[in-house]
Amino acid sequence: MMIHNFNAGPSILPREVFEEAAKAILNFRDTGLSILEIGHRTSLFQSVMDETMQTARDLMKLDADHEVLFLHGGATTQFFQVPMNLLNENQTAAYLDCGVWGSKAIKEARLYGNVEVVGSSKDKNYTYIPKGIRIPKDAAYFHYTTNNTIEGTEMFSIPETDIPLVADMSSDILSHEMDFNRFALIYAGAQKNIGAAGVNMVVVRKDILGKVNRRLPAMMDYQKHIEAGSMLNTPPVFAIYVCLLMLRWLKKLGGVPAIEKINNEKAALLYKTLDAKNGFEPTVEKDDRSRMNVVFLIPDPVVEKKFLEACKEENMIGVKGHRSVGGYRVSLYNALPLESVKALAHLIQQI
Ligand SMILES: Cc1ncc(COP(=O)(O)O)c(C=O)c1O
């Protein structure tokens, strides 16, 4: 039985990743040991860490100024770890307010310094991306969310600025081509496009560190994590291993350009179907529609009931919108096959 899994995260991973991960729990690389019982300081695990970092570097085409880290605490920890490391109390950071996650990041940054909100789409329930934003030249950094998971908007271009760019890429990392080297810091919870919950990928350009005057706990200090090769303490070994499997899968597929083509096709098909169907209403302005999270409303309760019943019958799960916005949200992350989108498009046409 095929389940079409449109969950927003944790979300679908490729079957072969699940199978390899399951094998590693029982017998990791023919050692007779589970990956869950080997020391993280062993050469066996070191080889996992090294390959995971290198594959991430290769897929993102990172230059030597950038370091890759795998840290605990989810993207939510990055909301405060970023300002802790980059923002002095008397300084100002510029933030874009384009959704629930971005506004949480703003709230946390205010604990450490000043925040200037340089653009917001709150006036229309975050259904668009503000245009023509001005980023102050003297801000410590500029922070934005590349894809707004809950509201279904995407920033299609990287803002022009000379100040350090910081991005939360939790829901679209490695889903389309980008010049990742333009960012001073990138963070992403793994549980959508790059692996299992429990680990964050953080990419940091080394020259932005060591400039704040507050004292940092070691676990909060990016510099200390870099010096320790991302093993300052016991890393989330299994979650990192799942990242490795996911990154290998993407590499084998042809890397970011190859998955972008598939992702574009999936999103185009679904939006086209929704636009053509009476009773289904995408909520986001056309130019800002996310390729990862497609959000729509079904205003008529009779149509809604029919849709939900059909989803149940066809084993389609995870289509309900986030509890804060209601409606429907279909997530089309890297591992979601085109076949599932075709099945959903067909189902919508039949309603
Ligand atoms: C864009 C974005 N940022 C942050 C988060 C929070 O991530 P976590 O639950 O890993 O802390 C999410 C989770 O869905 C997200 O989509």
Side-chain angles (χ1 to χ4, degrees), residues 116-217:
E116 182 179 339
V117 177
V118 294
S120 173
S121 50
K122 200 172 178 183
D123 58 338
K124 290 188 184 165
N125 293 325
Y126 298 121
T127 52
Y128 70 102
I129 300 285
K131 309 293 177 311
I133 50 165
R134 280 174 185 276
I135 302 170
K137 287 187 171 55
D138 56 350
Y141 60 87
F142 171 63
H143 177 285
Y144 75 106
T145 313
T146 48
N147 181 76
N148 295 286
T149 326
I150 293 175
E151 300 82 4
T153 57
E154 175 177 340
M155 286 274 281
F156 281 85
S157 58
I158 303 174
E160 286 299 334
T161 176
D162 292 330
I163 66 171
L165 266 175
V166 177
D168 175 358
M169 297 194 187
S170 293
S171 53
D172 68 342
I173 192 152
L174 294 173
S175 68
H176 58 88
E177 286 200 270
M178 268 181 124
D179 184 356
F180 294 103
N181 288 313
R182 278 186 57 192
F183 293 86
L185 196 143
I186 295 166
Y187 60 90
Q191 64 270 22
K192 302 170 200 300
N193 271 333
I194 46 174
V199 69
N200 263 328
M201 186 160 87
V202 176
V203 174
V204 58
R205 203 178 69 213
K206 287 171 282 192
D207 69 304
I208 60 165
L209 301 177
K211 294 188 176 156
V212 283
N213 49 30
R214 73 174 57 82
R215 290 186 299 170
L216 299 170

Side-chain angles (χ1 to χ4, degrees), residues 201-250:
M201 186 160 87
V202 176
V203 174
V204 58
R205 203 178 69 213
K206 287 171 282 192
D207 69 304
I208 60 165
L209 301 177
K211 294 188 176 156
V212 283
N213 49 30
R214 73 174 57 82
R215 290 186 299 170
L216 299 170
M219 278 298 283
M220 286 296 112
D221 188 340
Y222 294 123
Q223 187 63 47
K224 292 248 170 16
H225 283 286
I226 292 172
E227 285 160 14
S230 204
M231 285 210 232
L232 200 52
N233 71 331
T234 313
V237 288
F238 185 63
I240 291 172
Y241 184 62
V242 179
C243 281
L244 171 59
L245 298 176
M246 194 58 196
L247 295 170
R248 274 188 190 157
W249 172 84
L250 182 55

